[in-house]
Amino acid sequence: MAAGELLEGLNPSQYEAVTHVGGPLLVVAGAGSGKTRVLTHRIAHLIDAHGVSPFEVLAITFTNKAADEMKHRVGSLIGSVAQKMWVSTFHSACVRILRRDGYHLGYPQQFTIYDQSDAVRLVTYVLRDLQIDPKKLPPRSVHAAISTAKNRGLGVEEYAEAAQVIIERRIADVYREYQARLLRAGAMDFDDLLALWKGLLEKNDDLRIQYQGQFQWILVDEYQDTNHLQSSIIDLMSGPQGNVMVVGDDSQSIYSWRGADFTNILDFPKRHPNAQVFRIETNYRSTPEILSLANASIRQNSRQFEKTLRP
């Protein structure tokens, strides 16, 4: 598709976001405003109009279904090369990177990934061997506490230092032994993937610079759903060029129960002081009456990017 054709049909706000040249970019996209269209057209525009290599682009979203849809929509704009691009979930990208470079952290290339049932089973064995009563500290509850700690970026020692009551100190003991057994088995649990990706970038300057050079352009969908680890990883990957585009809506953050922190999107301009902020407020999904009610509700939020959805 010709570069000019890519821009046809975009409204003015979408056009500005798609054609933004470089540097940090935050797109606050209200519900039903075509944010995925903006993201996929920007990828295609970078490749067609600016000669960006498809393999210099890292596009991240949250579910396999969303990643497949994004890859399909990019493919309809630039062709079959889209199938070979890094368009994936956080965890899928993480596995690819750790398969290649996880040995820097002591893991084999063919490490095993424990699912939740595997992880809870290992916690059960650790509780037994540490002679901790599973009725007082149920394995699922202990695993949930460890999972929460990891998604908050707390390693074993940080968690142990923060422990204030005896239950937390016992969970810290389990956490320490749990991690040691994973490493000895050449295994990771699902939560380890993000923590190890971040650790890999922080502990190896040469490797971080290598990935920053490889991925000159980073785009993240549903940024309001990122947790602390995911936001930190994107900042580490973006490098000095700072060509990172995040798309989301602070008013649609509903996953705090799994670690999402909507302040990541609110604070993006603080972490990237030269960021451009575009608002996309034209809604293609709902009636005026629904939008009026939604706008009235959103105005009550104590912290937000002010926006008014229009039909």
Side-chain angles (χ1 to χ4, degrees):
M1 184 178 291
E5 294 177 33
L6 287 170
L7 305 179
E8 293 179 0
L10 298 175
N11 67 41
S13 297
Q14 292 174 332
Y15 181 92
E16 283 187 312
V18 167
T19 58
H20 175 76
V21 178
L25 172 61
L26 166 61
V27 179
V28 181
S33 62
K35 64 181 179 56
T36 303
R37 176 181 174 84
V38 169
L39 197 149
T40 54
H41 276 65
R42 176 162 173 77
I43 293 173
H45 183 71
L46 288 170
I47 294 169
D48 280 359
H50 297 284
V52 171
S53 166
F55 307 109
E56 292 178 341
V57 175
L58 173 63
I60 297 289
T61 188
F62 277 85
T63 67
N64 290 324
K65 181 179 179 181
D68 289 343
E69 180 186 355
M70 189 187 301
K71 188 174 290 188
H72 174 75
R73 291 173 70 167
V74 172
S76 70
L77 298 174
I78 66 171
S80 60
V81 69
Q83 295 303 313
K84 300 178 181 178
M85 292 176 61
W86 283 66
V87 179
S88 69
T89 64
F90 270 101
H91 289 91
S92 294
C94 184
V95 170
R96 290 180 68 176
I97 287 172
L98 291 175
R99 293 282 185 213
R100 179 192 301 173
D101 292 305
Y103 70 89
H104 289 285
L105 300 174
Y107 287 88
Q109 186 177 42
Q110 296 304 317
F111 57 81
T112 302
I113 301 174
Y114 280 19
D115 62 19
Q116 183 167 348
S117 61
D118 295 327
V120 171
R121 188 178 303 113
L122 179 56
V123 169
T124 302
Y125 296 152
V126 172
L127 288 169
R128 179 198 63 193
D129 295 343
L130 294 181
Q131 298 183 342
I132 298 174
D133 187 350
K135 293 181 180 179
K136 295 181 179 179
L137 279 179
R140 288 189 179 278
S141 297
V142 175
H143 175 257
I146 292 172
S147 176
T148 298
K150 289 181 178 182
N151 281 292
R152 289 173 55 201
L154 297 177
V156 172
E157 299 309 323
E158 292 88 350
Y159 184 87
E161 289 177 9
Q164 296 182 344
V165 298
I166 189 167
I167 289 178
E168 292 175 344
R169 291 194 287 270
R170 295 303 279 159
I171 292 175
D173 293 337
V174 177
Y175 188 2
R176 182 177 288 105
E177 179 62 20
Y178 172 81
Q179 287 303 114
R181 294 190 187 190
L182 282 174
L183 184 58
R184 286 199 300 270
M188 308 173 188
D189 67 18
F190 202 63
D191 299 305
D192 280 327
L193 295 172
L194 294 174
L196 291 170
W197 186 2
K198 181 185 176 188
L200 193 67
L201 297 173
E202 288 180 328
K203 296 174 182 178
N204 193 312
D205 293 342
D206 291 339
L207 201 59
R208 183 176 67 255
I209 292 170
Q210 173 189 317
Y211 279 113
Q212 290 171 348
Q214 177 178 348
F215 298 116
Q216 296 284 320
W217 303 86
I218 298 175
L219 304 95
V220 185
D221 196 10
E222 305 288 6
Y223 191 71
Q224 77 279 351
D225 292 334
T226 56
N227 60 30
H228 172 75
L229 272 176
Q230 292 160 335
S231 176
S232 298
I233 288 167
I234 294 303
D235 289 346
L236 286 166
M237 289 285 286
S238 64
Q241 69 273 10
N243 293 326
V244 55
M245 172 190 185
V246 300
V247 183
D249 180 7
D250 51 294
S251 300
Q252 295 185 63
S253 180
I254 59 173
Y255 290 112
S256 60
W257 56 272
R258 70 181 186 193
D261 187 349
F262 76 100
T263 63
N264 287 338
I265 191 169
L266 292 177
D267 293 340
F268 185 84
K270 296 179 182 177
R271 298 197 311 278
H272 301 271
N274 58 333
Q276 293 287 310
V277 180
F278 296 137
R279 289 171 172 78
I280 302 178
E281 299 172 310
T282 302
N283 179 283
Y284 296 93
R285 183 185 300 162
S286 303
T287 64
E289 293 79 10
I290 291 175
L291 293 182
S292 177
L293 177 60
N295 288 329
S297 299
I298 291 170
R299 288 192 195 99
Q300 308 306 312
N301 293 345
S302 58
R303 289 192 65 191
Q304 62 172 297
F305 287 112
E306 292 186 6
K307 68 188 78 68
T308 300
L309 295 175
R310 292 180 290 271

